[in-house]
Amino acid sequence: MAHGPPTPPPTTETEIQDQTRVAAENLPTALTPSMPSSTQLDAFQTAFPAIVDLVSRKDFQSLIQVAENVNLQSDADSDRRLTRLLVLGPLVLAYLIVDDLPPARFALTQLPEDVYSAPLVHSLFGLLASAWDRDHANVYVRAQELRNFVQQPDFFDEQLGSVLSEMVTAFVETFRQRTVRLLSTAYTSLPASLAQIYLGMKQDELLAAAQEEGWLYNASTNLFIPTIETSIAIRTTQPCLSPSSLPSFHSVTNSVAKLEL
């Protein structure tokens, strides 16, 4: 039987969101798939303990190497098994944690239909789409939704759920740290309401976090003043960018990711 050329993966945020919506519309009625029972472990099940250990040590670069090697060594039959999620879920989140989004997208778009239709894949797609577009408010919402999903009592693998929950927490922390660094090196001041959106925090949480980062707070104007010398920005080797004025805040922060260029 002849087959047409493979469908190219989505390359824009709109295409990613469209693919996520299509996946959601075709989800099975069950919230969580069942792992196939077998007395012999496949490549993904065999690699999972190593992945658990690497997550506990927060060695996400090594996790990526292990997971990618498993993907390369797996055969066509095992690729279609839901046990692939034991490696795929941690792999995608590891890429998100280190802020390497294209390979995370590639990993999700190369899945066979049996795995692609799993609700976990849909949740990962949603988080990736928000992170890709640097839609900060939605990043925190999608992250919380994913954490809630994997913590459900009927999630198909309790240990995987625990690992993914820990990795979602790590992702939110690193995403927030990168945002703090970018804001600290780019702006002389910013309104508290916008800082709450970009950092996904309530006012009281934001005040405590800002104090830890060395930011000043003017209660009369409700503005935060990043202090680069004592902030997380000085703990990175990335070059600092010249600060912009407050009037340019809205136009520049439409995509904080552009500051990294």
Side-chain angles (χ1 to χ4, degrees), residues 36-48:
S37 57
S38 175
T39 56
Q40 183 176 359
L41 300 180
D42 61 24
F44 304 113
Q45 291 168 311
T46 301
F48 186 58

Side-chain angles (χ1 to χ4, degrees), residues 45-182:
Q45 291 168 311
T46 301
F48 186 58
I51 289 176
V52 173
D53 177 63
L54 290 170
V55 171
S56 69
R57 294 191 278 118
K58 300 187 183 302
D59 188 352
F60 300 114
Q61 290 289 0
S62 294
L63 187 159
I64 290 171
Q65 294 177 5
V66 168
E68 289 289 14
N69 285 337
V70 174
N71 282 334
L72 290 174
Q73 296 169 8
S74 61
D75 55 35
D77 178 63
S78 61
D79 279 350
R80 293 191 296 268
R81 297 177 183 174
L82 287 174
T83 51
R84 186 171 182 176
L85 297 174
L86 296 172
V87 172
L88 174 75
L91 174 62
V92 171
L93 283 174
Y95 275 129
L96 286 169
I97 289 169
V98 303
D99 200 29
D100 194 0
L101 305 188
R105 181 187 63 190
F106 181 81
L108 287 171
T109 56
Q110 297 306 303
L111 294 173
E113 182 61 30
D114 291 346
V115 182
Y116 181 79
S117 61
L120 175 59
V121 174
H122 166 61
S123 295
L124 291 169
F125 251 123
L127 180 58
L128 171 63
S130 294
W132 189 280
D133 199 40
R134 290 301 195 264
D135 185 350
H136 289 70
N138 269 335
V139 163
Y140 301 118
V141 171
R142 295 286 178 85
Q144 185 58 50
E145 289 175 349
L146 177 56
R147 185 187 292 111
N148 292 342
F149 174 68
V150 301
Q151 289 178 340
Q152 291 182 24
D154 60 347
F155 189 68
F156 62 90
D157 189 287
E158 182 178 356
Q159 189 173 24
L160 175 62
S162 178
V163 166
L164 295 180
S165 179
E166 183 176 347
M167 294 187 72
V168 170
T169 298
F171 164 68
V172 170
E173 291 175 353
T174 57
F175 183 82
R176 188 173 280 143
Q177 287 170 0
R178 284 191 293 268
T179 303
V180 166
R181 182 171 63 244
L182 293 171

Side-chain angles (χ1 to χ4, degrees), residues 20 57 145 228 234:
T20 301
R57 294 191 278 118
E145 289 175 349
I228 298 177
I234 68 172

Side-chain angles (χ1 to χ4, degrees), residues 198-221:
Y198 280 99
L199 298 178
M201 292 180 169
K202 297 178 180 179
Q203 180 77 0
D204 55 343
E205 297 172 329
L206 184 59
L207 289 172
Q211 185 175 10
E212 290 182 4
E213 295 299 336
W215 288 18
L216 304 177
Y217 176 64
N218 187 326
S220 62
T221 60

